[in-house]
């Protein structure tokens, strides 16, 4: 296979991964919407290039951790379709990485937007005679940060022990896991992944 064709196939597979995450994961849709809003505000406030770089770093970290979280969730569902405490731990830890990146993004937004938002409120106060104080600005930014964290934890259903699986997904797993020995049903994930590595995509 020529290197150029191989590169195109790799790019297409990566694009399909992003497309799948956007079409199936509500958190990913929220991240892209929030990124669009934040970048629009960056243009509105005419932030410096360093502030924009921090915003892009936070946005990229959020999207990457959400993609990894989705990949871990699907891999765990395939390897361990039945309820298992270790499967729950794997999902919970992956979801925790998204939560940490969301907290980082919220703090970054507070630091970057605090000064321009405060100046905007001060101008409104001078024009109308009343306005927001610095404490109210901090309260508003803190509320935004808490909203982001709550959305991350409230709308994420990943990692729940005993979560019901869709009928077509459960049927797919039953059909394909029947081809493996009973060790995989008992938790032999090491054998399972080694078989995947040796057999490639023949499954």
């Amino acid at each position: 296979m020529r290197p150029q064709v191989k590169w195109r196939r790799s790019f297409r597979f990566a694009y399909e991964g992003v497309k799948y995450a956007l079409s199936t994961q509500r958190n990913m849709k929220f991240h892209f919407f929030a990124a669009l809003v934040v970048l629009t505000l960056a243009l509105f406030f005419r932030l410096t290039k360093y502030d924009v770089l921090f915003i892009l770093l936070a946005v990229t970290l959020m999207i990457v951790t959400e993609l990894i979280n989705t990949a871990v969730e699907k891999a765990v569902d395939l390897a361990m379709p039945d309820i298992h405490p270790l499967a729950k731990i794997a999902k919970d830890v992956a979801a925790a990485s998204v939560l940490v990146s969301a907290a980082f993004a919220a703090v970054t937004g507070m630091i970057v937007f605090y000064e321009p938002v405060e100046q905007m409120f001060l101008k409104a106060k001078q024009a109308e005679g009343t306005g927001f104080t610095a404490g109210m600005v901090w309260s508003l930014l803190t509320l935004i940060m808490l909203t982001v964290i709550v959305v991350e934890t409230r709308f994420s259903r990943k990692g729940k022990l005993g979560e019901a699986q869709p009928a077509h997904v459960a049927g797919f797993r039953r059909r394909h896991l029947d081809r493996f020995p009973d060790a995989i049903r008992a938790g032999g994930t090491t054998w399972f992944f080694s078989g995947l590595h040796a057999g490639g995509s023949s499954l």
Side-chain angles (χ1 to χ4, degrees), residues 105-118:
V107 173
T108 301
M110 290 178 61
I111 296 174
V112 169
F113 286 104
Y114 171 74
E115 196 172 329
V117 170
E118 183 184 28

Side-chain angles (χ1 to χ4, degrees), residues 110-163:
M110 290 178 61
I111 296 174
V112 169
F113 286 104
Y114 171 74
E115 196 172 329
V117 170
E118 183 184 28
Q119 292 178 357
M120 182 182 68
F121 286 154
L122 288 177
K123 290 180 181 179
K125 181 179 180 180
Q126 293 174 358
E128 301 179 3
T130 58
F132 293 91
T133 63
M136 296 177 67
V137 173
W138 274 111
S139 299
L140 178 62
L141 293 177
T142 303
L143 179 62
I144 294 174
M145 180 185 69
L146 293 176
T147 301
V148 172
I149 296 177
V150 168
V151 168
E152 282 297 322
T153 56
R154 172 64 180 85
F155 292 101
S156 179
R157 297 181 299 176
K158 300 171 183 176
K160 290 185 178 179
L161 184 64
E163 178 183 353

Side-chain angles (χ1 to χ4, degrees), residues 22-157:
L22 272 175
S23 60
T24 59
Q25 306 299 315
R26 291 180 295 179
N27 283 352
M28 182 63 73
K29 296 177 183 179
F30 170 78
H31 296 328
F32 269 83
F33 175 75
L36 179 62
V37 172
V38 169
L39 292 176
T40 303
L41 291 176
L43 294 176
F44 175 77
F45 288 113
R46 298 181 180 180
L47 299 179
T48 64
K49 62 179 180 180
Y50 298 105
D51 291 337
V52 174
L53 284 175
F54 274 107
I55 292 175
L56 290 176
L57 174 63
V59 168
T60 303
L61 184 62
M62 280 296 314
I63 294 176
V64 168
T65 51
E66 183 63 38
L67 289 172
I68 295 175
N69 188 25
T70 302
V72 170
E73 181 190 30
K74 301 306 177 184
V76 170
D77 287 341
L78 178 63
M80 185 58 60
D82 298 326
I83 297 175
H84 197 284
L86 292 179
K88 180 182 183 300
I89 291 174
K91 291 185 178 182
D92 288 345
V93 173
S97 67
V98 181
L99 182 61
V100 171
S101 62
F104 171 76
V107 173
T108 301
M110 290 178 61
I111 296 174
V112 169
F113 286 104
Y114 171 74
E115 196 172 329
V117 170
E118 183 184 28
Q119 292 178 357
M120 182 182 68
F121 286 154
L122 288 177
K123 290 180 181 179
K125 181 179 180 180
Q126 293 174 358
E128 301 179 3
T130 58
F132 293 91
T133 63
M136 296 177 67
V137 173
W138 274 111
S139 299
L140 178 62
L141 293 177
T142 303
L143 179 62
I144 294 174
M145 180 185 69
L146 293 176
T147 301
V148 172
I149 296 177
V150 168
V151 168
E152 282 297 322
T153 56
R154 172 64 180 85
F155 292 101
S156 179
R157 297 181 299 176

Side-chain angles (χ1 to χ4, degrees), residues 5-17:
V5 176
K6 186 176 181 180
W7 178 84
R8 289 180 180 178
R9 289 187 60 186
S10 300
F11 182 81
R12 179 168 59 86
F13 293 152
Y15 169 76
E16 290 176 356

